[in-house]
């Protein structure tokens, strides 16, 4: 549990007392149920550009949020003031909101049987690794990274900058049905965006490293060099004529396809009927060779959690089995709206991995390019052209044209289009070059055919 000696102003014990006080005062007002969460975050962010310091920022924030229930009427309020008077005022504000809110049959805390026990909530997932770094050290790391990018090739002439961030937070949550839990976590990152070329042939790309433990970050020099190499590879990009061809998504982008799927089978989209995958439970959405596994208890995982945002215990599960939807992503509220039971996903999914039963150990990027044979290898997407209701998909893209399994030239200013339902069903292969973006792990993804709109 977090303590003040770890760079926080408050200890977990102080947070637990605030939770107890908030719930006790809510009970004294006559609420039928209540929940509260107390959190604190702190961090340092610096950025440099072309050798000069651009920003040095320190952040520290705290919040206490309270939700109360009067039967099936709900009210919520929050404050950043942890004094007794502010706490009582916040609880009373939530109570007053609930008094004048219409009843909602789905409103309410999770069922007691779904809540994580004290032992389950206390599961140590090794998520907290504070980085004892000051602004001067952070600036030096950023400069090393940017210098490495410039030193890669003299055609790297400019930069959008390099940033270093060290962030940590902790929280405690509890409710009137006996749940108590909380933990500390950290997230640190390093990123750089070099610019190459001049005149009409200028290109920009970027790379980064993000970890819970700063000792596991890639070196500043390797991040800078790789970002520069990606940028240089895009020089002398060309447009394409409109065509329909296979498309290979780089592993760094493929997580977006998995994210679109998760959104489509999440409770909010389903009960609002704002999804192209309504009533898809048990239905074949992917090819038979595709599975999606969820492992919320992975140590140091970027989306690991012993319980969800409502205190519901999390579990390993197979979300897609042989291409068929094996489970939705539901909070207790969305589950009630759908006549189902919570899956422990208030707050989102936890460490998803999409894999193919056809993938071989040697299916690296070169092997995936050979499987593509002739088509577009996409390394950048632009815009938000995804219709969650219909599944229609249209994104600006850049990447490389591939012939006979080999990259021929870089490509820019094209649009790739299709329908997500058809795209997911048309996944031909998944690479062994797995990459984790946030809480989603997936290799490069080959889709059988998409429309590429060019000149």
């Amino acid at each position: 549990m977090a303590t003040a000696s770890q760079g926080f102003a408050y200890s977990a014990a102080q947070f637990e007392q605030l939770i107890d006080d908030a719930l006790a005062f809510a009970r004294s007002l006559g609420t039928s149920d209540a929940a509260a969460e107390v959190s604190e975050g702190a961090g340092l962010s610096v950025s440099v550009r072309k050798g000069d310091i651009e920003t040095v920022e320190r952040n520290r924030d705290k919040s206490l949020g309270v939700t109360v229930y009067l039967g099936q009427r709900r009210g919520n309020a929050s404050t950043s003031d942890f004094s007794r008077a502010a706490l009582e005022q916040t609880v009373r504000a939530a109570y007053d909101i609930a008094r004048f809110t219409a009843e909602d049959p789905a409103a309410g805390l999770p069922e007691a049987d779904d809540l994580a026990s004290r032992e389950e909530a206390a599961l140590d997932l090794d998520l907290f690794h504070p980085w004892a770094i000051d602004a001067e050290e952070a600036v030096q790391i950023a400069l090393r990274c940017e210098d490495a990018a410039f030193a890669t090739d003299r055609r790297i002439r400019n930069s959008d900058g390099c940033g270093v961030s060290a962030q940590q937070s902790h929280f405690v949550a509890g409710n009137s049905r006996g749940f108590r839990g909380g933990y500390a976590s950290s997230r640190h990152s390093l990123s750089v965006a070099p610019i190459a070329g001049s005149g009409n042939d200028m290109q920009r790309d970027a790379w980064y490293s993000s970890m819970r433990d700063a000792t596991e970050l890639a070196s500043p020099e390797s991040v800078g060099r790789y970002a520069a190499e990606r940028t240089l590879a895009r020089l002398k990009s060309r447009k394409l004529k409109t065509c329909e061809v296979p498309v290979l998504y780089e592993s760094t982008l493929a997580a977006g396809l998995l994210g679109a799927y998760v959104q489509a089978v999440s409770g909010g989209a389903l009960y609002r009927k704002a999804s192209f995958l309504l009533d898809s439970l048990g239905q074949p959405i992917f090819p038979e060779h595709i599975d999606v596994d969820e492992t919320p208890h992975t140590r140091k995982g970027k989306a690991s959690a012993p319980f969800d945002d409502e205190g519901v215990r999390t579990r390993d599960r197979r979300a897609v089995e042989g291409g068929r939807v094996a489970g939705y992503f539901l909070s207790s509220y969305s589950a009630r709206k759908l006549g189902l039971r919570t899956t422990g996903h208030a707050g989102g999914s936890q460490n998803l991995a999409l894999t193919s039963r056809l993938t071989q150990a040697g299916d690296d990027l070169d092997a995936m390019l050979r499987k593509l044979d002739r088509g577009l290898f996409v390394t950048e997407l632009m815009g938000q052209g995804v219709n969650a209701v219909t599944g229609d998909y249209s994104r600006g893209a850049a990447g490389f044209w591939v012939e006979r399994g080999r990259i021929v030239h870089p490509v820019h200013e094209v649009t790739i289009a299709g329908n997500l339902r058809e795209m997911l069903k048309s996944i031909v292969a998944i690479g062994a070059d797995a990459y984790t973006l946030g809480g989603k792990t997936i290799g490069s993804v080959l889709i059988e055919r998409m429309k590429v709109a060019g000149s």
Side-chain angles (χ1 to χ4, degrees), residues 225-381:
R225 282 194 299 270
Y226 187 55
E229 290 165 1
R230 290 178 65 91
T231 302
L232 292 166
R234 297 177 60 161
L235 289 173
K236 297 184 179 179
S237 288
R238 309 181 200 172
K239 297 181 181 180
L240 290 176
K241 292 185 178 181
T242 297
C243 55
E244 287 194 21
V245 293
V247 170
L248 177 66
Y249 281 77
E250 187 179 28
S251 58
T252 57
L253 302 180
L257 296 174
L258 180 53
Y261 166 75
V262 172
Q263 181 183 357
V265 292
S266 291
L270 294 172
Y271 78 73
R272 294 186 183 97
K273 299 191 181 301
S275 169
F276 66 96
L277 293 179
L278 295 176
D279 303 317
S280 57
L281 196 61
Q283 298 301 309
I285 299 302
F286 295 89
E288 292 182 356
H289 62 91
I290 296 295
D291 299 313
V292 176
D293 291 296
E294 187 169 29
T295 55
H297 300 162
T298 301
R299 292 178 65 80
K300 289 188 179 180
K302 292 182 180 179
S304 293
F307 52 86
D308 75 357
D309 287 1
E310 296 180 305
V312 172
R313 66 176 61 86
T314 54
R315 296 186 175 94
D316 287 359
R317 68 167 185 162
R318 177 153 282 184
V320 173
E321 171 80 34
R324 293 179 180 271
V325 178
Y328 291 147
F329 296 82
L330 308 176
S331 65
S332 59
Y333 181 84
S334 61
R336 291 184 188 121
K337 295 286 282 187
L338 293 166
L340 300 171
R341 188 166 183 171
T342 177
T343 58
H345 290 97
S349 61
Q350 305 124 5
N351 297 329
L352 293 178
L354 187 150
T355 57
S356 168
R357 301 177 186 184
L358 303 178
T359 300
Q360 303 295 316
D363 285 339
D364 57 11
L365 180 57
D366 286 341
M368 293 298 287
L369 289 171
R370 289 193 294 271
K371 291 182 181 183
L372 173 64
D373 187 40
R374 179 181 182 274
L376 181 64
F377 173 39
V378 178
T379 60
E380 183 182 18
L381 292 170

Side-chain angles (χ1 to χ4, degrees), residues 24-35:
F25 188 63
R27 187 165 53 250
S28 74
L29 294 177
T31 60
S32 55
D33 263 321

Side-chain angles (χ1 to χ4, degrees), residues 8-342:
F8 295 119
Y10 297 86
S11 68
Q14 288 173 301
F15 278 5
E16 286 217 35
Q17 187 60 56
L18 287 167
I19 295 290
D20 291 342
D21 292 345
L23 296 181
F25 188 63
R27 187 165 53 250
S28 74
L29 294 177
T31 60
S32 55
D33 263 321
E37 180 176 317
V38 192
S39 63
E40 175 188 13
L44 167 70
S45 299
V46 306
S47 65
V48 302
R49 182 173 177 271
K50 298 182 72 173
D52 294 326
I53 299 173
E54 288 219 311
T55 61
V56 176
E57 299 179 359
R58 286 198 174 274
N59 59 284
R60 184 175 290 277
D61 55 80
K62 56 190 177 79
S63 176
L64 186 156
V66 179
T67 300
V68 303
Y69 295 90
L70 296 174
Q72 291 181 309
R73 291 178 290 164
R74 175 175 53 191
N76 177 269
S78 62
T79 181
S80 58
D81 184 345
F82 289 177
S83 69
R84 178 70 186 194
L87 182 148
E88 292 186 357
Q89 184 179 25
T90 301
V91 175
R92 192 175 292 278
Y95 173 78
D96 288 339
I97 292 170
R99 287 170 55 210
F100 297 103
T101 298
E103 288 195 357
D104 184 342
L109 294 177
E111 300 302 320
D113 289 347
D114 291 323
L115 293 169
S117 66
R118 275 278 190 175
E119 293 73 22
E120 290 170 327
L123 180 64
D124 181 8
L125 299 178
D126 197 21
L127 305 181
F128 184 51
H129 296 269
W131 190 5
I133 187 172
D134 60 26
E136 183 177 348
E137 291 172 312
V139 165
Q140 290 305 311
I141 290 173
L143 290 172
R144 284 167 54 195
C145 183
E146 190 181 53
D147 287 347
F150 278 114
T152 301
D153 192 290
R154 62 184 181 182
R155 290 172 293 174
I156 302 291
R157 300 181 179 181
N158 206 337
S159 167
D160 262 354
C162 179
V164 173
S165 176
Q167 301 291 326
Q168 62 185 59
S169 62
H170 72 126
F171 76 97
V172 173
N175 65 39
S176 55
R177 296 190 177 180
F179 170 75
R180 292 290 187 284
Y183 51 88
S185 62
S186 56
R187 183 68 60 86
H188 314 300
S189 65
L190 165 66
S191 62
V192 65
I195 300 172
S198 60
N200 293 327
D201 188 26
M202 294 181 67
Q203 295 291 337
R204 173 194 178 280
D205 211 315
W207 195 245
Y208 74 99
S209 179
S210 175
M211 293 290 174
R212 290 197 181 274
D213 186 345
T215 64
E216 297 177 358
L217 289 171
S219 72
E221 289 76 16
S222 64
V223 172
R225 282 194 299 270
Y226 187 55
E229 290 165 1
R230 290 178 65 91
T231 302
L232 292 166
R234 297 177 60 161
L235 289 173
K236 297 184 179 179
S237 288
R238 309 181 200 172
K239 297 181 181 180
L240 290 176
K241 292 185 178 181
T242 297
C243 55
E244 287 194 21
V245 293
V247 170
L248 177 66
Y249 281 77
E250 187 179 28
S251 58
T252 57
L253 302 180
L257 296 174
L258 180 53
Y261 166 75
V262 172
Q263 181 183 357
V265 292
S266 291
L270 294 172
Y271 78 73
R272 294 186 183 97
K273 299 191 181 301
S275 169
F276 66 96
L277 293 179
L278 295 176
D279 303 317
S280 57
L281 196 61
Q283 298 301 309
I285 299 302
F286 295 89
E288 292 182 356
H289 62 91
I290 296 295
D291 299 313
V292 176
D293 291 296
E294 187 169 29
T295 55
H297 300 162
T298 301
R299 292 178 65 80
K300 289 188 179 180
K302 292 182 180 179
S304 293
F307 52 86
D308 75 357
D309 287 1
E310 296 180 305
V312 172
R313 66 176 61 86
T314 54
R315 296 186 175 94
D316 287 359
R317 68 167 185 162
R318 177 153 282 184
V320 173
E321 171 80 34
R324 293 179 180 271
V325 178
Y328 291 147
F329 296 82
L330 308 176
S331 65
S332 59
Y333 181 84
S334 61
R336 291 184 188 121
K337 295 286 282 187
L338 293 166
L340 300 171
R341 188 166 183 171
T342 177

